[in-house]
Amino acid sequence: MIQVQWNRKFEVGHERIDFEHKIFLGLIRDVSLAPQQGIQKERILRHLNEVKKYAVFHFTSEENIMFDVTYPDRERHIKEHEILLALLTDKTHQYRSEEIELDDIVSYLFEWFALHTTQIDTKLSHYISDV
Ligand SMILES: [Fe+2]
């Protein structure tokens, strides 16, 4: 079982983005803890839907910030968001049809989060502070 936990290294230094990241990671953490709490699969699938909807909200809010500051690397960043959403949708279907385990989704989400925040979002945050 993967340990999903907030770490200071995930902070990008932008108040709004960090705030939303904490909620996003909290939702992923709840999903990771669900099986050991005896939560039924149907409810876990509802929870994964909540993760996805929050991701859509959070990505929109980041993309609007990029738009406001005419961020030059906007397209590549948006592409990364789109890939996460597409893969999360695919993996959720696979989990529903028992082709993969919940842990596979959780590890994917957590690894993506760690990499994306520390590299891609940090770059955006630095750009904003320099504008
Ligand atoms: Fe991002």
Side-chain angles (χ1 to χ4, degrees):
M1 167 64 71
I2 181 167
Q3 190 75 24
V4 177
Q5 199 123 37
W6 180 263
N7 186 301
R8 279 209 64 183
K9 72 175 185 198
F10 299 143
E11 278 170 22
V12 303
H14 183 284
E15 202 183 339
R16 170 78 184 267
I17 295 174
D18 284 331
F19 174 78
E20 291 181 4
H21 280 169
K22 282 181 185 150
I23 295 173
F24 185 45
L25 193 68
L27 290 170
I28 298 169
R29 181 177 160 79
D30 290 346
V31 169
S32 77
L33 298 173
Q36 70 202 51
Q37 291 166 344
I39 294 170
Q40 296 303 302
K41 186 162 183 174
E42 207 44 48
R43 179 64 183 88
I44 295 176
L45 283 162
R46 293 192 68 87
H47 210 119
L48 283 168
N49 191 36
E50 193 178 342
V51 170
K52 189 179 172 190
K53 300 243 175 184
Y54 193 81
V56 170
F57 161 78
H58 166 62
F59 293 163
T60 306
S61 105
E62 258 185 27
E63 288 160 18
N64 286 346
I65 293 169
M66 291 186 227
F67 186 86
D68 290 342
V69 298
T70 357
Y71 186 51
D73 210 15
R74 196 165 60 201
E75 264 177 48
R76 193 170 76 99
H77 194 144
I78 292 172
K79 189 87 207 149
E80 294 270 341
H81 291 167
E82 285 168 352
I83 291 169
L84 182 278
L85 291 174
L87 274 163
L88 178 55
T89 304
D90 284 355
K91 284 180 188 290
T92 302
H93 287 314
Q94 289 169 334
Y95 169 62
R96 189 190 296 272
S97 55
E98 278 160 23
E99 289 163 61
I100 59 167
E101 300 290 326
L102 184 65
D103 262 4
D104 296 330
I105 304 185
V106 171
S107 331
Y108 170 69
L109 285 171
F110 191 44
E111 277 162 27
W112 184 91
F113 179 86
L115 213 68
H116 186 85
T117 51
T118 55
Q119 297 182 5
I120 313 279
D121 291 336
T122 301
K123 213 174 140 202
L124 169 64
S125 172
H126 288 169
Y127 180 82
I128 297 166
S129 0
D130 289 346
V131 172

